[in-house]
Amino acid sequence: MTLPQVGYIGLGIMGRPTALNLIKAGYSLHVYARRTESTQPLTDAGAVAYDSPKALAAVADIIFLNVSDTPDVEQVLLGKGGIAESARQGQIVIDMSTILPVQTRQMALRLAEKDITLLDAPVSGGEAGAIAGTLSIMVGGPQAAFERAKPLLDVLGKNIVHVGESGAGQVAKACNQIVVAGTIAAVAEAITFARRNDVDAAKVREALMGGFAGSKILEVHGKRMLDHDFKPGFKSRLHQKDMHIVLDTARQLGLSLPISSQTTQLINGLLGLGEGELDSSAIIKVIERMSQQ
Ligand code: NAP
């Protein structure tokens, strides 16, 4: 069986290791990035670099995107020099970026006019999951395209769920971020509470890990908070973007999400401190500042 030619656009914290895993699995990889620093680790591993998404799309059958935000996906797909300009019948685009569900559905319809299928396939599991190939992948889009994409997704993730039609993967990812952001804020409050009571916060985390308060967030982000090590990970400015996806969608639906609203204010405060490039566990800095810790 001939393997498909695979394209990859968006080679940052998440894209770089996932793209490398596809090369390790034997796929021929074609990459595009705005900066050569981003393509270098991939071309060193055997990928071929192109000077536009359009040029890459002329050779790739299945194309991954892992860029920052909704306008970036739109630009790469439908902008000048974008993928749609050299569309080929039967191509699949797998968008792993976290973006707005509504825009995803609109872009999927525009690409369908050119016989390209857009799957939304946002992920959870962070940089560590991307490196290990153990991501959770939440997929929206047609069943047939999902089945064609599945062997590649199996290389990148362990928990791969076809959630529903176009946009359903992005809805699932927004749900993920509601839980993640709220839990990060709760863990930050708990660690600050322990410290203000002159109790060893590391011991508190250790005790909590075995009970109902135990979670991946307490384990991973809690450790970052204890160490005050906020190297990303997941940049706060991207978490702010995700919370605005949640709140914008909720506003359109007339849906009240009080916890998510409050958590967003904490992330806004962190960006106000000029710390948008820090990992989102740095939310604890805002809690500490409010309490003069
Ligand atoms: P990142 O390190 O900032 O990387 C983003 C990459 O996208 C960069 O290499 C950037 O290229 C490229 N890019 C952005 N806009 C572009 C455009 N208009 N055209 C071409 N390339 C563009 O971000 P990341 O952490 O990998 O996150 C990527 C996506 O995954 C985001 O949607 C994020 O919310 C989501 N996500 C992240 C994590 C995590 O833990 N980091 C977890 C789950 C989901 P340049 O290098 O040229 O600027």
Side-chain angles (χ1 to χ4, degrees):
M1 194 187 71
T2 325
L3 291 177
Q5 297 292 312
V6 179
Y8 212 114
I9 298 173
L11 301 163
I13 288 177
M14 297 299 281
R16 189 183 319 116
T18 32
L20 281 170
N21 282 342
L22 289 166
I23 294 178
K24 283 183 208 146
Y27 288 97
S28 299
L29 210 74
H30 307 272
V31 296
Y32 163 76
R34 299 175 295 192
R35 299 176 304 138
T36 41
E37 302 96 280
S38 303
T39 47
Q40 186 82 44
L42 281 306
T43 49
D44 287 351
V48 182
Y50 295 79
D51 62 6
S52 69
K54 176 184 174 182
L56 178 148
V59 295
D61 306 309
I62 297 186
I63 305 169
F64 283 87
L65 305 188
N66 214 329
V67 296
S68 307
D69 202 352
T70 309
D72 302 306
V73 174
E74 200 154 20
Q75 187 189 353
V76 169
L77 289 177
L78 300 157
K80 194 169 171 331
I83 287 170
E85 286 186 4
S86 59
R88 288 183 302 128
Q89 197 177 9
Q91 269 176 327
I92 297 178
V93 176
I94 304 174
D95 180 22
M96 294 198 136
S97 329
T98 304
I99 66 166
L100 279 160
V102 171
Q103 303 282 100
T104 291
R105 289 184 202 114
Q106 289 169 357
M107 288 189 278
L109 289 174
R110 286 183 65 188
L111 289 180
E113 289 167 9
K114 294 181 178 280
D115 276 326
I116 305 179
T117 304
L118 177 66
L119 292 175
D120 41 309
V123 305
S124 181
E127 185 183 19
I131 293 169
T134 56
L135 293 167
S136 270
I137 310 179
M138 309 152 216
V139 188
Q143 179 73 28
F146 173 71
E147 278 162 20
R148 267 182 67 202
K150 184 74 172 25
L152 289 94
L153 299 178
D154 283 335
V155 172
L156 309 178
K158 282 280 167 280
N159 183 32
I160 300 154
V161 180
H162 185 211
V163 184
E165 290 307 314
S166 178
Q170 293 296 352
V171 170
K173 173 67 187 190
C175 295
N176 184 83
Q177 295 306 75
I178 291 171
V179 176
V180 167
T183 313
I184 290 177
V187 168
E189 287 189 2
I191 287 178
T192 309
F193 185 85
R195 284 177 172 153
R196 274 300 270 277
N197 280 282
D198 294 325
V199 170
D200 184 344
K203 289 280 180 208
V204 170
R205 171 177 164 277
E206 193 184 325
L208 266 52
M209 280 303 293
F212 277 4
S215 70
K216 200 86 185 160
I217 301 287
L218 181 64
E219 182 192 336
V220 176
H221 298 77
K223 180 78 170 70
R224 290 176 190 163
M225 292 178 203
L226 289 173
D227 298 343
H228 255 239
D229 176 4
F230 301 125
K231 179 177 162 291
F234 186 46
K235 293 167 192 163
S236 305
R237 65 175 167 79
L238 291 179
H239 212 146
Q240 184 192 47
K241 175 253 313 176
D242 290 358
M243 295 318 288
H244 287 290
I245 290 172
V246 168
L247 295 182
D248 273 8
T249 308
R251 181 178 53 78
Q252 283 167 28
L253 296 170
L255 180 66
S256 172
L257 299 178
I259 310 282
S260 296
S261 300
Q262 286 203 12
T263 321
T264 304
Q265 295 308 316
L266 295 173
I267 302 177
N268 286 351
L270 188 59
L271 268 82
L273 295 174
E275 306 283 30
E277 294 300 313
L278 293 187
D279 187 76
S280 62
S281 51
I283 278 180
I284 196 169
K285 290 178 108 176
V286 180
I287 307 268
E288 288 170 347
R289 231 174 135 110
M290 290 194 298
S291 309
Q292 302 276 314
Q293 178 75 21

